[in-house]
């Protein structure tokens, strides 16, 4: 590490993890304003941080082009994601926290840099593949299991689906789903899609529920 560069380990991890998520698993370039908005800091501060991360060889940064992770940056980002999702799973399964509570706590615990601890937690949990929100958990080598999941907004009327995850982890969204028993593992049938506003009529536990297109876009399902 160059002597004239200093960034707190937690700051580096937060940047790399956020770039990873915004890049759709490192498949797209991330813009400065996009990153600044997600981290809720000024674009100028983001630019300064990206220049340091570039010098540290964690990202490739070009002012007029954007940012992407290098091989070493991606490896670290996946390690952070693994820690976070293992902690979420442990908090939910072993300590009884709700799926609307675990994200915020895991945001703090993810910065404990102890692979032996994380691997032990994973072993205790039976090496889970998905976290409480249905997000895939990278294995020790950073590999993620591929799936054929789709968003509920892509589902076809008349077919049965199982809820496998969500893309919105906000407590207000998760509580909204929980109120209608739209939780991980629940089986639902898509009855119809309203032509006027694209709202969806679904059956869950023999009860009819109407959800908006926005809610459907943030629910991940698989056919059953």
């Amino acid at each position: 590490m160059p002597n004239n560069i200093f960034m707190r380990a937690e700051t580096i991890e937060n940047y790399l993890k956020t770039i990873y998520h915004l890049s759709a698993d490192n498949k797209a370039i991330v813009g400065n304003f996009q990153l600044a908005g997600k981290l809720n800091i000024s674009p100028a501060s983001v630019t300064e941080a990206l220049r340091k991360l570039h010098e540290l060889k964690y990202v490739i940064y070009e002012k007029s082009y954007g940012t992407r992770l290098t091989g070493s940056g991606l490896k670290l980002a996946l390690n952070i994601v693994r820690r976070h999702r293992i902690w979420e799973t442990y908090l939910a399964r072993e300590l009884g926290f709700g799926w609307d509570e675990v994200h915020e706590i895991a945001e703090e615990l993810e910065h404990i840099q102890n692979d032996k601890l994380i691997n032990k937690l994973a072993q205790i949990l039976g090496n889970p593949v998905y976290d409480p929100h249905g997000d895939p958990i990278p294995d020790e080598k950073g590999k993620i299991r591929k799936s054929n999941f789709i968003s509920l907004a892509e589902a076809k009327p008349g077919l049965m689906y199982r809820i496998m995850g969500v893309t919105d982890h906000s407590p207000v969204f998760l509580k909204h789903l929980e109120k209608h028993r739209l939780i991980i593992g629940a089986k639902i049938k898509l009855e119809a899609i309203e032509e006027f506003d694209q709202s969806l009529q679904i059956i869950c536990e023999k009860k009819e529920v109407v959800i908006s297109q926005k809610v459907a876009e943030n629910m991940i399902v698989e056919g059953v």
Side-chain angles (χ1 to χ4, degrees):
M1 182 182 295
N3 294 329
N4 62 331
I5 299 174
F6 174 76
M7 289 185 75
R8 294 175 61 237
E10 184 174 326
T11 301
I12 292 174
E13 292 184 346
N14 285 336
Y15 266 94
L16 298 184
K17 181 184 68 171
T18 304
I19 293 169
Y20 173 78
H21 288 314
L22 291 176
S23 67
D25 301 343
N26 209 33
K27 297 174 184 176
I29 300 300
V30 178
N32 281 27
F33 285 97
Q34 185 184 13
L35 188 54
K38 189 67 175 179
L39 292 172
N40 196 30
I41 56 180
S42 71
S45 296
V46 167
T47 297
E48 181 181 355
L50 290 176
R51 285 173 177 163
K52 291 181 179 179
L53 291 171
H54 180 87
E55 292 184 57
L56 292 169
K57 302 187 184 305
Y58 286 132
V59 306
I60 294 176
Y61 167 67
E62 296 179 23
K63 185 176 180 181
S64 60
Y65 184 59
T67 303
R68 65 180 178 85
L69 297 171
T70 62
S72 60
L74 176 60
K75 182 178 180 180
L76 181 52
L78 285 167
N79 186 266
I80 301 160
V81 170
R82 173 174 166 80
R83 288 185 234 151
H84 181 98
R85 293 176 179 173
I86 289 292
W87 275 119
E88 284 194 335
T89 307
Y90 185 79
L91 289 165
R93 287 194 194 175
E94 301 298 318
L95 301 184
F97 284 91
W99 69 337
D100 58 317
E101 300 176 296
V102 296
H103 179 74
E104 185 175 346
I105 304 172
E107 284 283 289
E108 299 179 32
L109 294 172
E110 70 183 25
H111 297 296
I112 300 174
Q113 297 183 23
N114 189 316
D115 289 340
K116 185 176 181 179
L117 170 62
I118 292 301
N119 293 336
K120 185 65 176 179
L121 290 176
Q123 184 180 7
I124 290 172
L125 295 166
N127 294 308
V129 179
Y130 299 101
D131 73 9
H133 305 113
D135 293 318
I137 300 174
D139 66 16
E140 293 180 59
K141 296 181 180 179
K143 294 183 179 180
I144 295 177
R145 178 183 293 185
K146 293 183 179 180
S147 70
N148 295 316
F149 300 162
I150 61 173
S151 77
L152 183 55
E154 302 173 85
K156 297 180 180 180
L159 298 182
M160 294 288 298
Y161 295 91
R162 179 183 288 106
I163 300 173
M164 299 303 296
V166 294
T167 54
D168 183 344
H169 296 175
S170 65
V172 65
F173 179 71
L174 297 176
K175 287 178 181 177
H176 174 71
L177 294 185
E178 202 166 51
K179 181 174 67 175
H180 297 294
R181 302 302 299 162
L182 300 174
I183 57 177
I184 302 294
K187 290 184 180 180
I188 61 175
K189 180 180 180 182
L190 177 55
E191 289 284 280
I193 300 176
E194 180 62 48
E195 184 177 357
F196 174 68
D197 60 1
Q198 298 299 298
S199 59
L200 288 74
Q201 299 175 29
I202 61 178
I203 300 294
C204 179
E205 295 187 357
K206 300 181 180 180
K207 294 182 179 180
E208 182 176 301
V209 181
V210 177
I211 61 174
S212 69
Q213 178 72 193
K214 182 178 180 180
V215 169
E217 290 172 352
N218 284 287
M219 295 175 63
I220 304 302
V221 300
E222 69 170 355
V224 295

